[in-house]
Amino acid sequence: MSIQRDFYLERAAEARTTAGEATLDNVRDRWLRAEATWTEMAERSERGEKMRAKLIAQKAEERAALKAANQV
């Protein structure tokens, strides 16, 4: 896991805890919306990391194939 994703998940957990402690409905709703937002940001961060890793692997394969073709 990345540091950024962990940060987002920690904020989501804090928002969830604060929502559970809220006595007013509108305050609870606001914290639950914040939790959903932090969770979505964590998911986006994870998708971005996976995409970057995939692109890095593809580029490495392309470089290896090019290097092999040049050595022939």
Coordinates of all heavy atoms in Angstrom, one line a residue:
M1 N 0.8 -1.2 0.0 CA 0.0 0.0 0.0 C 0.9 1.2 0.0 O 2.0 1.3 0.5 CB -0.9 0.0 1.2 CG -2.1 -0.8 1.1 SD -3.4 -0.2 2.2 CE -3.4 -1.5 3.4
S2 N 0.3 2.3 -0.6 CA 1.1 3.5 -0.6 C 0.8 4.4 0.6 O -0.2 4.2 1.3 CB 0.7 4.3 -1.9 OG -0.5 4.9 -1.7
I3 N 1.7 5.3 0.8 CA 1.5 6.2 1.9 C 0.3 7.1 1.7 O -0.5 7.4 2.6 CB 2.8 7.1 2.1 CG1 4.0 6.2 2.5 CG2 2.6 8.2 3.1 CD1 5.3 6.9 2.5
Q4 N 0.1 7.5 0.4 CA -1.0 8.4 0.1 C -2.4 7.6 0.4 O -3.3 8.2 1.0 CB -1.0 8.8 -1.3 CG -2.0 9.9 -1.7 CD -1.8 10.4 -3.1 OE1 -1.2 9.8 -3.9 NE2 -2.3 11.6 -3.3
R5 N -2.4 6.4 -0.1 CA -3.7 5.6 0.1 C -3.9 5.4 1.6 O -5.0 5.5 2.0 CB -3.5 4.3 -0.6 CG -4.8 3.4 -0.5 CD -4.7 2.1 -1.4 NE -5.9 1.4 -1.3 CZ -6.0 0.4 -0.3 NH1 -5.1 0.1 0.5 NH2 -7.1 -0.3 -0.3
D6 N -2.9 5.1 2.3 CA -3.0 4.9 3.8 C -3.6 6.2 4.4 O -4.4 6.1 5.3 CB -1.7 4.5 4.4 CG -1.2 3.1 4.0 OD1 -2.0 2.3 3.5 OD2 0.0 2.8 4.2
F7 N -3.0 7.3 4.0 CA -3.5 8.6 4.5 C -5.0 8.7 4.3 O -5.8 9.1 5.2 CB -2.7 9.7 3.9 CG -3.2 11.1 4.3 CD1 -2.9 11.7 5.5 CD2 -4.1 11.8 3.4 CE1 -3.4 12.9 5.8 CE2 -4.6 13.0 3.8 CZ -4.2 13.6 5.0
Y8 N -5.4 8.5 3.1 CA -6.9 8.6 2.8 C -7.7 7.7 3.6 O -8.8 8.0 4.1 CB -7.1 8.3 1.3 CG -6.5 9.3 0.3 CD1 -6.1 9.0 -0.9 CD2 -6.3 10.7 0.7 CE1 -5.5 9.9 -1.8 CE2 -5.8 11.6 -0.2 CZ -5.4 11.2 -1.4 OH -4.8 12.1 -2.3
L9 N -7.2 6.4 3.7 CA -8.0 5.5 4.5 C -8.1 5.8 6.0 O -9.1 5.6 6.7 CB -7.4 4.1 4.4 CG -7.6 3.4 3.0 CD1 -6.9 2.1 2.9 CD2 -9.1 3.3 2.6
E10 N -7.0 6.4 6.5 CA -7.0 6.9 7.9 C -8.0 8.0 8.1 O -8.8 8.1 9.1 CB -5.6 7.4 8.3 CG -4.6 6.3 8.5 CD -3.2 6.8 8.7 OE1 -3.0 8.0 8.9 OE2 -2.3 5.9 8.7
R11 N -8.1 9.0 7.1 CA -9.0 10.1 7.2 C -10.5 9.5 7.1 O -11.4 10.0 7.8 CB -8.8 11.1 6.0 CG -7.5 11.8 6.0 CD -7.2 12.7 7.2 NE -6.7 12.0 8.4 CZ -5.5 11.5 8.5 NH1 -4.6 11.6 7.6 NH2 -5.1 11.0 9.7
A12 N -10.7 8.5 6.3 CA -12.0 7.9 6.2 C -12.4 7.3 7.5 O -13.6 7.4 7.9 CB -12.0 6.8 5.1
A13 N -11.5 6.6 8.2 CA -11.8 6.0 9.4 C -12.1 7.0 10.5 O -13.0 6.8 11.3 CB -10.6 5.1 9.9
E14 N -11.3 8.1 10.5 CA -11.6 9.2 11.4 C -13.0 9.8 11.2 O -13.7 10.1 12.1 CB -10.6 10.3 11.3 CG -9.2 9.9 11.8 CD -8.1 11.0 11.6 OE1 -8.5 12.1 11.1 OE2 -7.0 10.7 11.9
A15 N -13.3 10.0 9.9 CA -14.6 10.5 9.6 C -15.8 9.6 10.1 O -16.8 10.0 10.6 CB -14.8 10.8 8.1
R16 N -15.6 8.3 9.9 CA -16.5 7.3 10.3 C -16.7 7.3 11.8 O -17.8 7.3 12.3 CB -16.1 5.9 9.8 CG -17.1 4.8 10.0 CD -16.7 3.4 9.4 NE -15.2 3.2 9.5 CZ -14.4 3.2 8.4 NH1 -14.8 3.6 7.3 NH2 -13.1 2.9 8.6
T17 N -15.6 7.4 12.5 CA -15.7 7.5 14.0 C -16.4 8.7 14.5 O -17.3 8.7 15.3 CB -14.3 7.4 14.6 OG1 -13.6 6.2 14.2 CG2 -14.3 7.5 16.1
T18 N -16.1 9.9 13.8 CA -16.7 11.1 14.2 C -18.2 11.1 13.9 O -19.0 11.6 14.7 CB -16.0 12.3 13.5 OG1 -14.6 12.2 13.8 CG2 -16.5 13.6 14.0
A19 N -18.5 10.5 12.8 CA -20.0 10.4 12.4 C -20.7 9.6 13.4 O -21.8 9.9 13.8 CB -20.1 9.7 11.0
G20 N -20.1 8.5 13.9 CA -20.7 7.7 14.9 C -20.9 8.4 16.3 O -21.8 8.1 17.0
E21 N -20.1 9.4 16.5 CA -20.2 10.2 17.8 C -21.1 11.4 17.7 O -21.5 12.0 18.7 CB -18.8 10.6 18.2 CG -17.8 9.5 18.5 CD -16.4 10.0 18.6 OE1 -16.1 11.2 18.4 OE2 -15.6 9.1 19.0
A22 N -21.5 11.7 16.4 CA -22.3 13.0 16.2 C -23.7 12.8 16.8 O -24.3 11.7 16.7 CB -22.3 13.3 14.7
T23 N -24.2 13.8 17.4 CA -25.6 13.8 17.9 C -26.6 14.4 16.9 O -27.8 14.1 17.0 CB -25.6 14.5 19.3 OG1 -25.2 15.8 19.1 CG2 -24.8 13.7 20.3
L24 N -26.1 15.3 16.1 CA -27.0 16.0 15.1 C -27.0 15.2 13.8 O -25.9 14.8 13.3 CB -26.6 17.4 14.9 CG -26.6 18.3 16.2 CD1 -26.0 19.7 15.8 CD2 -28.0 18.4 16.7
D25 N -28.1 15.0 13.2 CA -28.2 14.3 11.9 C -27.4 15.0 10.8 O -26.7 14.3 10.1 CB -29.7 14.2 11.5 CG -30.5 13.3 12.4 OD1 -29.9 12.4 13.1 OD2 -31.8 13.4 12.4
N26 N -27.5 16.3 10.7 CA -26.8 17.0 9.6 C -25.3 16.8 9.8 O -24.5 16.7 8.8 CB -27.2 18.4 9.5 CG -26.9 19.2 10.7 OD1 -26.9 18.7 11.8 ND2 -26.6 20.5 10.5
V27 N -24.8 16.8 11.0 CA -23.4 16.7 11.3 C -22.9 15.3 11.0 O -21.9 15.0 10.3 CB -23.0 17.1 12.7 CG1 -21.6 16.7 13.1 CG2 -23.4 18.5 13.0
R28 N -23.7 14.3 11.4 CA -23.5 12.9 11.1 C -23.4 12.7 9.5 O -22.5 12.0 9.0 CB -24.5 12.0 11.7 CG -24.2 10.5 11.5 CD -25.3 9.6 12.1 NE -25.7 10.0 13.5 CZ -26.8 10.6 13.8 NH1 -27.7 10.8 12.9 NH2 -27.1 10.9 15.0
D29 N -24.4 13.2 8.9 CA -24.4 13.1 7.4 C -23.2 13.7 6.7 O -22.6 13.2 5.8 CB -25.7 13.8 6.8 CG -27.0 13.0 7.2 OD1 -26.9 11.8 7.6 OD2 -28.1 13.6 7.1
R30 N -22.8 14.9 7.2 CA -21.6 15.5 6.7 C -20.4 14.7 6.8 O -19.6 14.5 5.9 CB -21.4 16.9 7.3 CG -20.2 17.7 6.8 CD -20.0 19.0 7.5 NE -19.5 18.7 8.8 CZ -19.9 19.4 9.9 NH1 -20.7 20.5 9.8 NH2 -19.4 19.2 11.1
W31 N -20.2 14.1 8.0 CA -19.1 13.2 8.3 C -19.1 11.9 7.4 O -18.1 11.4 7.0 CB -18.9 12.9 9.7 CG -18.3 14.0 10.5 CD1 -18.9 14.9 11.4 CD2 -16.9 14.5 10.4 NE1 -18.0 15.8 11.8 CE2 -16.8 15.6 11.3 CE3 -15.8 14.0 9.7 CZ2 -15.6 16.3 11.4 CZ3 -14.6 14.7 9.9 CH2 -14.5 15.8 10.7
L32 N -20.3 11.4 7.2 CA -20.5 10.2 6.4 C -20.2 10.5 4.9 O -19.6 9.7 4.2 CB -21.9 9.6 6.5 CG -22.2 9.0 7.9 CD1 -23.7 8.6 7.9 CD2 -21.3 7.8 8.2
R33 N -20.5 11.7 4.5 CA -20.1 12.1 3.1 C -18.6 12.3 3.0 O -18.0 11.9 2.0 CB -20.8 13.5 2.7 CG -22.3 13.3 2.4 CD -22.9 14.6 1.8 NE -22.6 15.8 2.5 CZ -23.4 16.3 3.5 NH1 -24.5 15.6 3.9 NH2 -23.1 17.4 4.1
A34 N -18.0 12.8 4.1 CA -16.6 13.0 4.1 C -15.9 11.6 4.0 O -14.9 11.4 3.3 CB -16.1 13.7 5.3
E35 N -16.5 10.6 4.8 CA -15.9 9.3 4.7 C -16.0 8.7 3.3 O -15.0 8.1 2.8 CB -16.7 8.3 5.7 CG -16.2 6.9 5.6 CD -17.2 5.9 6.2 OE1 -18.3 6.3 6.6 OE2 -16.8 4.7 6.3
A36 N -17.1 8.9 2.7 CA -17.3 8.3 1.3 C -16.3 9.0 0.4 O -15.7 8.3 -0.5 CB -18.7 8.6 0.8
T37 N -16.0 10.3 0.5 CA -15.1 11.0 -0.3 C -13.7 10.5 -0.1 O -12.9 10.2 -1.0 CB -15.2 12.5 0.0 OG1 -16.5 12.9 -0.3 CG2 -14.2 13.3 -0.9
W38 N -13.2 10.3 1.2 CA -11.9 9.8 1.5 C -11.7 8.4 0.9 O -10.7 8.1 0.4 CB -11.6 9.9 3.0 CG -11.4 11.2 3.5 CD1 -12.1 11.9 4.5 CD2 -10.3 12.1 3.2 NE1 -11.6 13.1 4.7 CE2 -10.4 13.2 4.0 CE3 -9.2 12.0 2.4 CZ2 -9.5 14.3 4.0 CZ3 -8.3 13.0 2.3 CH2 -8.4 14.2 3.1
T39 N -12.8 7.6 1.1 CA -12.7 6.2 0.6 C -12.5 6.2 -1.0 O -11.7 5.5 -1.5 CB -13.9 5.4 1.0 OG1 -14.0 5.5 2.4 CG2 -13.9 4.0 0.5
E40 N -13.3 7.1 -1.6 CA -13.1 7.2 -3.1 C -11.8 7.6 -3.5 O -11.2 7.1 -4.5 CB -14.2 8.1 -3.7 CG -14.1 8.4 -5.2 CD -14.2 7.1 -6.0 OE1 -14.9 6.2 -5.6 OE2 -13.6 7.2 -7.1
M41 N -11.2 8.6 -2.8 CA -9.9 9.0 -3.1 C -8.8 7.9 -2.9 O -7.9 7.8 -3.7 CB -9.5 10.2 -2.2 CG -10.3 11.5 -2.6 SD -10.1 12.9 -1.4 CE -8.4 13.3 -1.7
A42 N -9.0 7.1 -1.9 CA -8.1 6.0 -1.7 C -8.2 5.0 -2.8 O -7.2 4.5 -3.3 CB -8.4 5.3 -0.3
E43 N -9.4 4.7 -3.3 CA -9.6 3.8 -4.4 C -9.0 4.4 -5.7 O -8.4 3.6 -6.4 CB -11.1 3.5 -4.6 CG -11.7 2.7 -3.5 CD -13.2 2.7 -3.5 OE1 -13.9 3.3 -4.4 OE2 -13.8 2.0 -2.7
R44 N -9.2 5.7 -5.9 CA -8.5 6.3 -7.1 C -7.0 6.2 -7.0 O -6.3 5.9 -8.0 CB -8.9 7.7 -7.2 CG -10.3 7.9 -7.7 CD -10.6 9.4 -7.8 NE -12.0 9.6 -8.1 CZ -12.5 10.8 -8.4 NH1 -11.8 11.9 -8.4 NH2 -13.8 10.9 -8.7
S45 N -6.5 6.4 -5.8 CA -5.0 6.4 -5.7 C -4.5 5.0 -6.0 O -3.5 4.8 -6.6 CB -4.7 6.7 -4.2 OG -3.3 6.6 -4.0
E46 N -5.2 4.0 -5.5 CA -4.8 2.6 -5.8 C -4.9 2.2 -7.2 O -4.0 1.6 -7.8 CB -5.7 1.6 -5.0 CG -5.3 0.2 -5.1 CD -6.1 -0.8 -4.2 OE1 -7.2 -0.4 -3.8 OE2 -5.7 -1.9 -4.0
R47 N -6.0 2.7 -7.9 CA -6.1 2.4 -9.4 C -5.0 3.1 -10.1 O -4.4 2.5 -11.0 CB -7.4 3.0 -9.9 CG -8.6 2.1 -9.6 CD -9.9 2.4 -10.4 NE -10.2 3.8 -10.3 CZ -11.1 4.3 -9.4 NH1 -11.7 3.6 -8.5 NH2 -11.4 5.6 -9.4
G48 N -4.6 4.3 -9.7 CA -3.5 5.1 -10.3 C -2.2 4.4 -10.2 O -1.4 4.3 -11.1
E49 N -2.0 3.8 -9.0 CA -0.7 3.1 -8.7 C -0.6 1.8 -9.6 O 0.4 1.5 -10.1 CB -0.6 2.8 -7.2 CG -0.3 4.0 -6.4 CD -0.2 3.6 -4.9 OE1 0.0 2.4 -4.6 OE2 -0.4 4.5 -4.1
K50 N -1.7 1.1 -9.7 CA -1.8 -0.1 -10.5 C -1.5 0.3 -11.9 O -0.8 -0.4 -12.6 CB -3.1 -0.8 -10.3 CG -3.2 -1.5 -9.0 CD -4.6 -2.2 -8.9 CE -4.7 -2.9 -7.5 NZ -6.0 -3.6 -7.4
M51 N -2.1 1.3 -12.4 CA -1.9 1.7 -13.8 C -0.5 2.1 -14.1 O 0.1 1.8 -15.1 CB -2.8 2.9 -14.1 CG -2.9 3.3 -15.6 SD -4.0 4.6 -16.0 CE -5.5 4.1 -15.3
R52 N 0.1 2.9 -13.1 CA 1.5 3.3 -13.3 C 2.4 2.1 -13.3 O 3.3 2.0 -14.1 CB 1.9 4.2 -12.1 CG 1.8 5.7 -12.4 CD 2.4 6.5 -11.4 NE 1.8 6.4 -10.0 CZ 0.7 6.9 -9.6 NH1 0.0 7.6 -10.5 NH2 0.2 6.7 -8.4
A53 N 2.2 1.1 -12.4 CA 3.0 -0.1 -12.4 C 2.9 -0.9 -13.7 O 3.9 -1.4 -14.2 CB 2.6 -1.0 -11.2
K54 N 1.7 -0.9 -14.2 CA 1.5 -1.6 -15.5 C 2.2 -1.0 -16.6 O 2.9 -1.6 -17.4 CB 0.0 -1.7 -15.8 CG -0.4 -2.4 -17.0 CD -1.9 -2.5 -17.3 CE -2.2 -3.1 -18.6 NZ -3.7 -3.1 -18.8
L55 N 2.1 0.4 -16.6 CA 2.9 1.1 -17.7 C 4.4 1.0 -17.6 O 5.1 0.8 -18.6 CB 2.5 2.6 -17.6 CG 1.1 2.9 -18.1 CD1 0.7 4.4 -17.9 CD2 0.9 2.6 -19.6
I56 N 4.9 1.0 -16.3 CA 6.3 0.8 -16.1 C 6.7 -0.6 -16.6 O 7.8 -0.7 -17.3 CB 6.7 1.0 -14.6 CG1 6.5 2.5 -14.3 CG2 8.1 0.5 -14.3 CD1 6.6 2.8 -12.8
A57 N 5.9 -1.6 -16.3 CA 6.3 -2.9 -16.8 C 6.2 -3.0 -18.3 O 7.1 -3.7 -18.9 CB 5.3 -4.0 -16.1
Q58 N 5.3 -2.4 -18.9 CA 5.2 -2.4 -20.4 C 6.4 -1.7 -21.0 O 6.9 -2.2 -22.0 CB 3.9 -1.7 -20.8 CG 2.6 -2.5 -20.6 CD 1.4 -1.8 -21.0 OE1 1.4 -0.5 -21.1 NE2 0.3 -2.5 -21.1
K59 N 6.8 -0.6 -20.4 CA 7.9 0.1 -21.0 C 9.2 -0.7 -20.8 O 10.1 -0.7 -21.7 CB 8.1 1.5 -20.3 CG 7.0 2.5 -20.6 CD 7.1 2.9 -22.0 CE 6.1 4.0 -22.3 NZ 6.1 4.4 -23.7
A60 N 9.3 -1.4 -19.7 CA 10.5 -2.3 -19.5 C 10.5 -3.4 -20.5 O 11.6 -3.7 -21.0 CB 10.5 -2.8 -18.1
E61 N 9.4 -4.0 -20.8 CA 9.3 -5.0 -21.8 C 9.7 -4.5 -23.2 O 10.4 -5.1 -23.9 CB 7.9 -5.6 -21.8 CG 7.6 -6.5 -20.6 CD 6.1 -7.0 -20.7 OE1 5.5 -6.9 -21.7 OE2 5.7 -7.5 -19.6
E62 N 9.2 -3.3 -23.5 CA 9.5 -2.7 -24.8 C 11.0 -2.4 -24.9 O 11.6 -2.7 -26.0 CB 8.7 -1.4 -25.0 CG 7.2 -1.6 -25.2 CD 6.4 -0.3 -25.1 OE1 7.1 0.8 -25.1 OE2 5.2 -0.4 -25.1
R63 N 11.6 -1.9 -23.8 CA 13.0 -1.6 -23.9 C 13.8 -2.9 -24.0 O 14.8 -3.0 -24.8 CB 13.5 -0.9 -22.6 CG 13.1 0.6 -22.6 CD 13.8 1.3 -21.5 NE 13.5 0.8 -20.2 CZ 12.4 1.3 -19.4 NH1 11.6 2.2 -19.9 NH2 12.2 0.8 -18.2
A64 N 13.4 -4.0 -23.3 CA 14.1 -5.3 -23.4 C 14.0 -5.8 -24.8 O 15.0 -6.4 -25.4 CB 13.5 -6.2 -22.4
A65 N 12.8 -5.7 -25.4 CA 12.6 -6.2 -26.8 C 13.4 -5.4 -27.8 O 14.0 -6.0 -28.7 CB 11.1 -6.2 -27.1
L66 N 13.5 -4.1 -27.6 CA 14.3 -3.3 -28.5 C 15.8 -3.6 -28.3 O 16.5 -3.7 -29.3 CB 14.0 -1.8 -28.2 CG 14.7 -0.8 -29.1 CD1 14.3 -1.0 -30.5 CD2 14.3 0.6 -28.6
K67 N 16.2 -3.8 -27.1 CA 17.6 -4.1 -26.9 C 18.0 -5.5 -27.5 O 19.0 -5.6 -28.1 CB 17.9 -4.1 -25.4 CG 19.3 -4.3 -25.0 CD 19.5 -4.3 -23.5 CE 21.0 -4.5 -23.2 NZ 21.2 -4.4 -21.7
A68 N 17.1 -6.4 -27.4 CA 17.3 -7.8 -27.9 C 17.3 -7.7 -29.5 O 18.2 -8.3 -30.1 CB 16.2 -8.7 -27.5
A69 N 16.5 -6.9 -30.0 CA 16.4 -6.7 -31.5 C 17.7 -6.0 -32.0 O 18.2 -6.4 -33.1 CB 15.2 -5.9 -31.9
N70 N 18.2 -5.1 -31.2 CA 19.4 -4.4 -31.7 C 20.7 -5.3 -31.5 O 21.7 -5.0 -32.2 CB 19.6 -3.1 -30.9 CG 18.6 -2.0 -31.3 OD1 18.1 -2.1 -32.4 ND2 18.3 -1.1 -30.4
Q71 N 20.6 -6.3 -30.7 CA 21.8 -7.1 -30.5 C 21.9 -8.2 -31.5 O 22.9 -8.9 -31.7 CB 21.8 -7.7 -29.1 CG 22.1 -6.7 -28.0 CD 22.0 -7.3 -26.6 OE1 21.7 -8.5 -26.5 NE2 22.4 -6.5 -25.6
V72 N 20.8 -8.4 -32.3 CA 20.8 -9.5 -33.3 C 21.5 -9.2 -34.5 O 22.0 -8.3 -34.9 CB 19.3 -9.9 -33.6 CG1 19.3 -10.9 -34.8 CG2 18.6 -10.4 -32.4

